[in-house]
């Protein structure tokens, strides 16, 4: 999921579900793994999303340490240190993550810290409990890569500090029946400040300052049952949160006599969700996904009152042993979550359900795909994914809530070939189309974007531990950008290649990995609108638009990374 756009909730949720179901183990829990919004260029952080297979096959009482670090251009520096241990019926993990960079342009800097502590105790061979504490501290500038390179703020600053405490429970009634539960408490604050510099066509200056404090909890419980021919997953969740804050606007018609307006606010959000999924194998080579969920949403910044029933239908068919056909159709209501984690199944027949978007967004999702194993070393497949969304917003002209129609289309084809045990190649094609209805188009200010992306890669792995990789990505993007009124906007397009290269060495005895990477090897200049983004509506006209998982670097960037395990 780490390389798929807008799959952050799914990745973080799958981690939570695996943690609740896991036995006692010494596998470390990297602090960055549960974060769906790190805003770091893919692979440019101190550690990768995977554990790099550094963990032992068999378990014994022991202590373990895993440390990763990175240094790079633009004063980029990061480290992640995780110490874990297992003793008898108890295991634990404590970790720290830090990343900082000045970025590739003015006000593109960021500074992040994450701390976590995790502990799990097996009360018996059937029952275990766990607890986790997380603290995150982020300070960032304007990170989003927009199509027009000069379209960024030189003064926008956002700061957030979040504290979460989670307790989990797992009980196995029988080998076929499990109960898991999770309760997460959240306390966080967010602040943003922007200074608007005076221009020739602006006769006054204005400063804006927005702050919001939120605290709440989310409780979920789920039952899992499986037999040889069917599985049933059922559960419910309850989300409750209170927010309060204020917006301050300072108008400078005269630089010596500012006019300050202060707008306090508060809101309450209450969300209950119920769901049931059945996966039925009939006939033997067909798996039917039949299910439904219900959402009962109240409050939020728009003071919504919305109940919704969501049918779920999926099909996975293996007409031949090496062929898989998938299809799905389902409805969703955007979930209010803490830490972007939930126990509810994240996909239907392999098609993602949950995305970072505005609270109360309704979606109908349709997908079809085929995955084919041509031989033991050749794999391929195609997939089409469609989302039709109704996004709520406040119409300032009528002071009433309205809905804006958004569309999302994604086509993907992939081909993987491993001709030798030490060589792998991959080719992929992605077509993505985003369309937004005015007046709600988000702070990115585009109404439509079409992106063709074709990454081609080759990777070499020598038994001595030496490895190397080369990746070439072709991008063709066009759309309508900088839209501020129904008739405005700029239609533009760009086509370009970006080349990435890496060389590494795997240390003997699973002791670690050292790599040197060069992103955008030939320092290609281009125009590109990042679409793997999250637009957070903090309410009261304040938005944050941030890149979730940037895939290309707008300038040459050299990185050196090292991971050590003990």
């Amino acid at each position: 999921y780490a390389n798929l756009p807008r799959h952050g909730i799914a990745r973080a949720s799958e981690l939570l579900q695996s943690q609740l179901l896991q036995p006692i183990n010494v596998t470390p829990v990297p602090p960055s793994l549960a974060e769906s919004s790190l805003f770091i260029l893919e692979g440019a952080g101190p550690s990768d999303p995977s554990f790099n297979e550094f963990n032992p096959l068999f378990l014994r009482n022991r202590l373990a340490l895993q440390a990763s670090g990175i240094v790079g251009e633009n004063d980029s520096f990061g480290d992640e240190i995780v110490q874990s241990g297992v003793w008898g019926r108890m295991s634990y993990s404590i970790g720290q993550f830090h990343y900082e960079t000045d970025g590739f342009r003015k006000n593109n800097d960021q500074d992040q810290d994450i701390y976590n502590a995790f502990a799990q105790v097996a009360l018996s061979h059937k029952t275990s409990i766990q607890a986790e504490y997380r603290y995150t501290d982020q300070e960032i500038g304007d990170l989003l890569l927009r199509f027009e390179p000069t379209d960024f703020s030189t003064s926008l600053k956002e700061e957030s500090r979040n504290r979460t405490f989670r307790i989990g429970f797992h009980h196995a009634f029988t080998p076929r029946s499990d109960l898991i539960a999770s309760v997460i408490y959240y306390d966080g604050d967010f602040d943003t400040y922007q200074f608007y510099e005076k221009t020739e066509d602006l006769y006054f200056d204005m400063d804006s300052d927005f702050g919001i404090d939120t605290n709440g909890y989310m409780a979920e419980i789920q039952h899992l049952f499986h037999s040889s021919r069917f599985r049933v997953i059922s559960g419910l969740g309850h989300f409750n949160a209170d927010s309060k804050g204020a917006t301050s606007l300072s108008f400078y018609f005269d630089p010596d006599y500012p006019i300050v307006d202060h707008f306090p606010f508060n809101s309450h959000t209450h969300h209950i969700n119920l769901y049931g999924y059945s996966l039925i194998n009939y006939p033997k080579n067909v798996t039917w996904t039949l299910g439904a969920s219900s959402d009962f949403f109240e409050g939020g910044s728009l003071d919504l009152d919305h109940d919704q029933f969501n049918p779920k239908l999926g099909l996975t068919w293996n007409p031949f042993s090496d062929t898989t056909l998938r299809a799905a159709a389902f409805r969703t209501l955007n979930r209010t979550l803490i830490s972007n984690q939930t126990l509810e199944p994240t996909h239907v027949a392999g098609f993602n359900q949950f995305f970072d978007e505005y609270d109360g967004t309704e979606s109908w999702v349709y997908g079809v795909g085929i995955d084919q194993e041509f031989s033991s070393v050749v794999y391929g497949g195609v997939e089409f994914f469609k989302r039709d969304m109704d996004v709520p917003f406040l119409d300032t002209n009528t002071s009433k809530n309205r809905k804006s129609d958004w569309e999302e289309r994604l086509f993907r084809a992939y081909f993987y070939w491993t001709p030798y045990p030490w060589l792998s190649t991959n080719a992929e094609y992605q077509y993505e189309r985003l369309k937004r209805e005015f007046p709600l188009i988000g702070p990115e200010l585009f109404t439509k974007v079409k992106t063709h992306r074709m990454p081609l890669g080759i990777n070499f792995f020598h038994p001595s531990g030496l490895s190397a990789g080369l990746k070439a990505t072709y991008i063709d993007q066009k759309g309508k950008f900088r839209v501020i009124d129904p008739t405005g906007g700029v239609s533009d397009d760009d086509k370009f290649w970006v080349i990435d290269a890496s060389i590494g060495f795997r240390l003997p005895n699973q002791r670690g990995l050292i790599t040197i990477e060069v992103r955008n090897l030939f320092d290609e200049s281009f125009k590109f609108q990042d679409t793997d983004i999250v637009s957070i509506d903090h309410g009261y006209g304040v938005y944050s638009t941030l890149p979730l998982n940037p895939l290309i670097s707008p300038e040459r960037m050299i990185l050196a990374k090292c991971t050590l395990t003990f």
Side-chain angles (χ1 to χ4, degrees):
Y1 283 158
N3 293 324
L4 296 179
R6 297 178 296 283
H7 277 61
I9 292 177
R11 180 172 62 82
S13 297
E14 293 290 345
L15 172 67
L16 172 62
Q17 295 167 27
S18 69
Q19 285 181 305
L20 290 170
L21 290 166
Q22 72 184 9
I24 298 298
N25 68 88
V26 74
T27 302
V29 182
S32 61
L33 194 60
E35 295 296 320
S36 63
S37 305
L38 287 176
F39 323 131
I40 298 174
L41 180 70
E42 179 205 9
S47 62
D48 293 324
S50 72
F51 293 120
N52 292 308
E53 303 296 339
F54 291 136
N55 306 298
L57 182 62
F58 298 101
L59 186 64
R60 60 182 173 86
N61 291 335
R62 64 186 290 259
L63 301 178
L65 178 68
Q66 181 170 306
S68 302
I70 185 172
V71 293
E73 294 185 290
N74 302 322
D75 289 330
S76 300
F77 169 80
D79 67 87
E80 187 166 49
I81 302 174
V82 187
Q83 198 276 313
S84 58
V86 60
W87 195 267
R89 294 184 174 185
M90 177 183 176
S91 64
Y92 74 93
S93 175
I94 54 175
Q96 170 265 334
F97 170 91
H98 174 76
Y99 181 78
E100 62 180 78
T101 180
D102 288 343
F104 68 93
R105 68 185 179 205
K106 186 177 180 180
N107 197 36
N108 190 242
D109 59 299
Q110 57 176 305
D111 192 330
Q112 302 190 51
D113 288 288
I114 306 174
Y115 304 91
N116 85 316
F118 172 84
Q120 182 173 353
V121 177
L123 303 179
S124 69
H125 69 284
K126 290 186 175 183
T127 307
S128 67
I129 58 174
Q130 56 186 239
E132 182 176 14
Y133 173 77
R134 302 181 62 81
Y135 174 78
T136 64
D137 188 342
Q138 295 178 336
E139 182 176 348
I140 60 177
D142 190 348
L143 303 183
L144 186 63
L145 188 61
R146 298 175 178 86
F147 194 85
E148 175 54 52
T150 60
D151 187 11
F152 67 93
S153 170
T154 60
S155 61
L156 175 66
K157 291 296 181 183
E158 297 185 358
E159 300 179 12
S160 64
R161 290 158 294 277
N162 303 310
R163 294 157 289 277
T164 61
F165 179 74
R166 178 181 66 84
I167 57 175
F169 173 82
H170 172 218
H171 178 73
F173 297 103
T174 70
R176 296 177 180 269
S177 177
D178 292 89
L179 181 72
I180 57 176
S182 171
V183 178
I184 307 177
Y185 173 77
Y186 170 85
D187 180 22
D189 56 86
F190 171 85
D191 296 281
T192 180
Y193 172 84
Q194 186 166 10
F195 170 73
Y196 297 86
E197 297 181 358
K198 186 174 182 178
T199 60
E200 294 180 359
D201 57 347
L202 188 68
Y203 63 93
F204 65 89
D205 291 343
M206 181 180 72
D207 297 348
S208 66
D209 191 358
F210 171 87
I212 184 171
D213 296 330
T214 303
N215 63 79
Y217 68 89
M218 183 174 71
E220 295 183 283
I221 187 169
Q222 182 184 95
H223 181 255
L224 303 99
F225 177 83
H226 64 92
S227 67
S228 59
R229 298 303 294 268
F230 70 92
R231 288 188 293 154
V232 177
I233 304 172
S234 57
L236 61 91
H238 179 223
F239 176 95
N240 193 84
D242 292 290
S243 301
K244 62 179 180 179
T247 299
S248 295
L249 299 177
S250 301
F251 300 93
Y252 291 87
F253 296 94
D254 185 324
D256 297 325
Y257 300 97
I259 300 175
V260 180
D261 286 334
H262 189 70
F263 307 96
F265 60 83
N266 60 77
S267 66
H268 176 76
T269 304
H270 184 262
H271 192 170
I272 295 176
N273 69 294
L274 312 170
Y275 59 86
Y277 296 79
S278 59
L279 287 79
I280 304 168
N281 292 107
Y282 184 82
K284 188 175 181 180
N285 61 342
V286 177
T287 300
W288 298 91
T289 301
L290 303 174
S293 67
S294 294
D295 290 277
F296 307 91
F297 183 91
E298 294 180 8
S301 61
L302 296 179
D303 195 22
L304 299 175
D305 187 354
H306 186 61
D307 301 338
Q308 182 170 300
F309 177 77
N310 309 301
K312 317 283 184 180
L313 175 63
L315 170 67
T316 303
W317 177 31
N318 297 102
F320 310 102
S321 60
D322 50 9
T323 304
T324 301
L325 296 173
R326 298 179 291 112
F330 53 90
R331 190 186 191 194
T332 66
L333 181 72
N334 184 55
R335 292 284 308 280
T336 45
L337 301 171
I338 292 178
S339 301
N340 273 346
Q341 293 183 308
T342 179
L343 301 187
E344 185 174 352
T346 61
H347 66 89
V348 177
F351 296 96
N352 186 38
Q353 289 205 87
F354 304 122
F355 296 83
D356 284 299
E357 50 200 3
Y358 298 100
D359 288 348
T361 297
E362 306 171 27
S363 301
W364 275 102
V365 182
Y366 311 91
V368 62
I370 179 172
D371 304 288
Q372 178 68 42
E373 181 181 344
F374 298 99
S375 72
S376 61
V377 296
V378 180
Y379 310 85
V382 295
E383 178 181 278
F384 175 75
F385 189 73
K386 172 185 176 182
R387 299 177 68 220
D388 295 326
M389 296 164 279
D390 289 328
V391 185
F393 70 99
L394 178 64
D395 188 336
T396 55
N397 294 322
T398 63
S399 298
K400 294 182 179 180
N401 291 331
R402 288 179 52 195
K403 294 181 180 180
S404 179
D405 293 330
W406 288 20
E407 297 179 5
E408 179 178 322
R409 308 289 186 267
L410 177 65
F411 175 81
R412 174 175 175 258
Y414 68 92
F415 182 82
Y416 301 145
W417 180 33
T418 55
Y420 304 101
W422 44 268
L423 185 69
S424 70
T425 63
N426 64 278
E428 191 169 341
Y429 168 72
Q430 292 182 6
Y431 170 73
E432 182 183 55
R433 188 186 75 179
L434 305 180
K435 187 177 180 181
R436 300 177 176 180
E437 181 188 51
F438 197 87
L440 181 65
I441 57 175
E444 311 95 296
L445 299 180
F446 67 77
T447 52
K448 57 183 178 180
V449 175
K450 295 181 180 179
T451 306
H452 301 267
R453 187 196 308 262
M454 187 171 63
L456 308 171
I458 183 169
N459 296 281
F460 168 79
F461 307 93
H462 193 270
S464 66
L466 182 66
S467 63
L470 185 67
K471 180 181 178 182
T473 303
Y474 174 74
I475 293 179
D476 178 354
Q477 187 179 67
K478 62 181 178 180
K480 194 169 186 179
F481 309 97
R482 308 186 75 177
V483 180
I484 57 176
D485 62 69
T487 60
V490 177
S491 296
D492 205 348
D493 64 273
D494 198 6
K495 304 174 183 178
F496 57 91
W497 283 90
V498 173
I499 310 296
D500 301 329
S502 66
I503 186 170
F505 181 73
R506 194 177 186 89
L507 302 178
N509 301 318
Q510 296 181 316
R511 289 304 183 191
L513 183 68
I514 300 173
T515 60
I516 296 177
E517 303 180 13
V518 183
R519 304 300 177 88
N520 197 349
L521 179 64
F522 298 108
D523 201 19
E524 178 74 14
S525 298
F526 52 80
K527 293 183 177 181
F528 180 72
Q529 172 68 52
D530 202 339
T531 58
D532 188 9
I533 55 182
V534 55
S535 292
I536 305 173
D537 182 3
H538 300 286
Y540 314 97
V542 178
Y543 299 87
S544 294
T545 303
L546 299 166
L548 289 177
N549 190 29
L551 296 178
I552 56 175
S553 174
E555 66 177 16
R556 182 187 296 118
M557 186 176 186
I558 302 175
L559 305 167
K561 301 171 63 174
C562 179
T563 298
L564 300 175
T565 64
F566 304 95

